[in-house]
Amino acid sequence: MSSMAHPAQLGFQDATSPLMEELLHFHDHALMIVFLISVLVLYIITCMITTKMSDKLILDSQEIEIIWTVLPAITLILIALPSLRILYLMDEINDPHLTIKAMGHQWYWSYEYTDYEDLSFDSYMIPTQDLTPGQFRLLEADHRMVIPVESPIRVLISAEDVLHSWAVPTLGIKMDAVPGRLNQTAFITARPGVYYGQCSEICGANHSFMPIVVEAVPLSHFEAWTALTLEEASL
């Protein structure tokens, strides 16, 4: 499957990693709370505008002041607790099966598979005139970051020159690439597919033209790909 945004899309892309599923659930949870608050406030405003009567118990009442202080506090707790849970889950990196170093350059990405000797390559955007039927303009790269499916992957992210940001929305990942600093993130892909992202930090003239393409394949296909890539590199 291929995961990317489509025209007039209102929501998020379909989740491919367990973490992105959690983020989607939290988004729906928070949106429902915002919706209920909006309805309540609209109802109160409508009542105040349309009625000529006033109640002295509402104008000066200790009880109602307690209620409208405690209720928002409870609401904030209901948002904060699941938010903090996901925040800590996003920092968890448990025994990754594979480590990949992604380096941002002006204006392309380079990938180093640090568990292998000499397995590294640059990933440039395919120009519009070179695209084949079915490929996506501004999103296809000449070399994809290939990973095994259902395996914990750690990505080390840095930059060679200016600030970049390595982002793949369907995986729920956006991590700044900072020169002289090594950031890390981790993810698991739930199913095979091709997942698209773009640099998400303004980095100069060709900022829009350095896409990220992650291809998740079964382990046997990944092993065949690494063997082929290493063979080509040795030649």
Side-chain angles (χ1 to χ4, degrees):
M1 66 162 286
S2 168
S3 185
M4 56 174 286
H6 57 78
Q9 179 174 325
L10 292 177
F12 290 98
Q13 295 179 25
D14 290 340
T16 306
S17 69
L19 242 168
M20 188 58 190
E21 284 180 17
E22 292 283 342
L23 287 167
L24 287 179
H25 291 149
F26 174 67
H27 169 264
D28 295 343
H29 166 74
L31 204 64
M32 203 67 220
I33 291 172
V34 169
F35 176 73
L36 292 172
I37 291 169
S38 303
V39 169
L40 178 64
V41 170
L42 188 66
Y43 172 73
I44 292 169
I45 290 171
T46 307
C47 287
M48 288 177 69
I49 291 170
T50 55
T51 182
K52 296 284 188 284
M53 305 176 80
S54 61
D55 189 329
K56 65 183 178 67
L57 293 176
I58 289 180
L59 292 172
D60 183 21
S61 169
Q62 195 74 42
E63 288 78 11
I64 199 164
E65 285 185 13
I66 290 169
I67 291 167
W68 71 37
T69 303
V70 171
L71 276 183
I74 292 169
T75 306
L76 287 174
I77 290 166
L78 288 175
I79 295 172
L81 290 179
S83 174
L84 285 169
R85 174 178 162 270
I86 295 173
L87 202 61
Y88 280 100
L89 279 174
M90 290 174 80
D91 271 345
E92 286 281 323
I93 297 179
N94 294 321
D95 191 25
H97 294 178
L98 181 68
T99 300
I100 303 169
K101 186 178 176 185
M103 291 288 290
H105 307 263
Q106 287 181 310
W107 288 272
Y108 64 96
W109 293 96
S110 62
Y111 298 101
E112 301 170 24
Y113 287 68
T114 54
D115 299 291
Y116 297 85
E117 282 186 38
D118 304 324
L119 182 47
S120 61
F121 51 84
D122 297 332
S123 179
Y124 289 86
M125 187 193 79
I126 299 175
T128 304
Q129 63 269 22
D130 297 337
L131 291 172
T132 58
Q135 288 188 319
F136 303 113
R137 192 178 74 89
L138 302 184
L139 287 175
E140 294 290 351
D142 58 356
H143 291 96
R144 293 171 171 176
M145 187 183 111
V146 181
I147 55 166
V149 78
E150 292 181 340
S151 296
I153 310 294
R154 174 172 54 193
V155 186
L156 304 175
I157 299 160
S158 187
E160 192 77 31
D161 34 49
V162 297
L163 287 175
H164 298 278
S165 182
W166 200 83
V168 184
T170 187
L171 296 173
I173 285 179
K174 181 181 284 186
M175 182 65 72
D176 281 355
V178 184
R181 180 188 175 98
L182 203 61
N183 288 329
Q184 72 170 352
T185 186
F187 62 88
I188 299 173
T189 49
R191 53 186 176 274
V194 180
Y195 311 119
Y196 295 93
Q198 290 176 298
C199 177
S200 296
E201 189 73 61
I202 301 293
C203 59
N206 292 336
H207 161 66
S208 305
F209 310 116
M210 47 183 297
I212 298 151
V213 187
V214 178
E215 184 175 356
V217 297
L219 183 59
S220 56
H221 293 212
F222 174 76
E223 288 172 337
W225 173 83
T226 52
L228 184 65
T229 309
L230 287 167
E231 190 179 322
E232 287 174 354
S234 64
L235 295 173

